[in-house]
Amino acid sequence: MKRHFINQNELSDKFWNIEYQGTTQKILFGKTGTKGRETVKEFTDEQECIRESEKLINQKIKKGYTEITENDEVPQKKELSEHEKADIYFWEAIEKSNKQKKAHWSEYDVEEHLENLTAYLSKFGKERLVLFEKTLQEKLSALYTAEIAELSIILECEFKQENGIYVFNDYLSDDGFIYFRCWLLLKGKEFFEDIQQDIQSFVSGKYSFNIGDCWAEGLLYVSDEAYSENHDNEDESEIRDTVDELYPHHHYDSPEREMNREPKGGADLQTLYPKLVKEIGELRSA
């Protein structure tokens, strides 16, 4: 039995071929266009060889590999733009450094996540760190919307109940709103995309968060802290200064930034987001 697979998702451009017959399993793998490397494994009987080979095939499919026939021509992978690569690098770093991604919210610790993220990024050079910082600033800017501000109000601001209606104080500090958006970014790409579509996805049941700690200021400094691990970093801002020079219009704290509209407050939020306000209001009142 011979089967051939390729993976050209995101940054990947790899092949993985498997051949198994009798008690012998041969695997050839590597970067597309190269000879690759071969491994050979012997099993005690034919059934074990088949079982283990099929297990490997299922694992590869789950990781994004696609099967092709032996005679198929491997397509040439489209070159990703700098922006596309930066986006992949950014979310990969955020998610790989979150050791409690699938755990209950009570096991997640913001500071631990930031420490892991700094350690992960410290393995890379200046160019990669600049791309991370640039993307961070772009994502923070993308979250500078009235809807995200309203989510912050619902999660953080004081409120009272009047005739069954939650009425929110709608004051947000500039710095606090930045730290809140940092916290949202640490939740990963899927959440970031969901929350931009509808902030009520916060209570969709897909996610589990500690809403008693909604700030992650430290995310603003991880790129420079990571750079400082292996380099002299004058003023501890080499990476941020470089991004400011190369991409002056990306800054999340630019005085020229504008929201899409004025955020709502008071009783309007329950009208706009009944499910979100009801669930968060009950949780915060408990």
Side-chain angles (χ1 to χ4, degrees):
M1 173 73 73
K2 293 182 180 180
R3 299 181 69 176
H4 306 269
F5 298 84
I6 59 171
N7 185 344
Q8 295 185 326
N9 296 324
E10 297 185 335
L11 298 175
S12 297
D13 190 11
K14 300 178 287 189
F15 71 90
W16 187 81
N17 302 334
I18 186 168
E19 178 181 357
Y20 51 100
Q21 184 174 2
T23 60
T24 304
Q25 177 196 83
K26 294 181 181 180
I27 295 175
L28 183 66
F29 64 97
K31 183 176 174 59
T32 301
T34 68
K35 292 182 179 180
R37 294 171 53 197
E38 184 179 74
T39 63
V40 180
K41 189 172 183 179
E42 291 290 337
F43 293 88
T44 55
D45 59 64
E46 184 175 0
Q47 289 305 311
E48 183 185 14
C49 182
I50 293 172
R51 185 171 59 252
E52 292 302 313
S53 296
E54 290 179 348
K55 182 192 295 185
L56 285 176
I57 289 168
N58 289 331
Q59 289 173 355
K60 290 297 178 182
I61 291 172
K62 287 180 180 179
K63 290 181 178 179
Y65 280 79
T66 303
E67 187 165 11
I68 60 174
T69 67
E70 187 173 5
N71 296 323
D72 282 344
E73 183 177 345
V74 177
Q76 185 172 358
K77 181 176 171 61
K78 178 186 174 184
E79 185 67 27
L80 297 177
S81 67
E82 180 191 84
H83 178 79
E84 290 171 322
K85 289 180 181 178
D87 196 71
I88 292 168
Y89 291 149
F90 179 81
W91 290 120
E92 185 178 77
I94 293 289
E95 295 180 5
K96 283 190 174 182
S97 59
N98 185 0
K99 306 302 182 184
Q100 305 298 336
K101 185 177 180 181
K102 296 182 180 180
H104 186 266
W105 65 262
S106 61
E107 298 179 42
Y108 174 81
D109 181 84
V110 170
E111 295 306 317
E112 180 185 352
H113 190 175
L114 292 171
E115 288 175 6
N116 292 338
L117 179 58
T118 301
Y120 177 87
L121 291 173
S122 68
K123 298 181 293 185
F124 301 104
K126 182 176 180 180
E127 182 179 357
R128 181 89 163 247
L129 291 172
V130 166
L131 287 178
F132 178 90
E133 179 66 25
K134 168 181 173 283
T135 307
L136 169 62
Q137 297 194 15
E138 289 173 345
K139 301 301 182 188
L140 288 171
S141 296
L143 291 177
Y144 190 74
T145 67
E147 292 80 8
I148 299 301
E150 287 158 355
L151 177 61
S152 179
I153 291 168
I154 294 167
L155 292 178
E156 300 187 283
C157 289
E158 294 182 357
F159 65 92
K160 58 185 176 181
Q161 279 187 279
E162 296 179 353
N163 299 319
I165 301 296
Y166 290 94
V167 181
F168 291 86
N169 176 341
D170 57 7
Y171 171 74
L172 285 178
S173 72
D174 288 342
D175 287 346
F177 188 42
I178 293 171
Y179 307 156
F180 176 75
R181 285 178 281 154
C182 288
W183 180 75
L184 295 180
L185 289 179
L186 287 178
K187 308 309 164 194
K189 181 179 181 180
E190 184 180 5
F191 175 75
F192 172 80
E193 292 174 346
D194 282 352
I195 214 73
Q196 285 189 297
Q197 292 294 318
D198 181 5
I199 65 169
Q200 292 195 110
S201 62
F202 194 92
V203 291
S204 65
K206 290 171 63 177
Y207 308 103
S208 172
F209 304 137
N210 175 11
I211 63 169
D213 184 10
C214 297
W215 284 8
E217 178 185 359
L219 183 59
L220 301 176
Y221 314 111
V222 293
S223 57
D224 272 298
E225 289 178 357
Y227 187 70
S228 296
E229 292 285 330
N230 301 302
H231 304 85
D232 291 332
N233 190 355
E234 187 174 354
D235 298 327
E236 298 184 341
S237 60
E238 173 74 19
I239 303 301
R240 281 172 288 160
D241 289 346
T242 300
V243 171
D244 289 344
E245 290 173 11
L246 295 175
Y247 311 101
H249 302 299
H250 286 77
H251 204 278
Y252 58 87
D253 203 19
S254 168
E256 299 175 3
R257 68 197 190 287
E258 292 183 3
M259 284 191 183
N260 50 321
R261 61 172 172 79
E262 282 293 316
K264 302 288 187 181
D268 291 336
L269 293 176
Q270 188 157 346
T271 302
L272 284 171
Y273 312 110
K275 177 177 172 63
L276 177 65
V277 169
K278 180 177 184 297
E279 291 198 26
I280 297 300
E282 289 177 354
L283 187 61
R284 294 185 62 194
S285 298

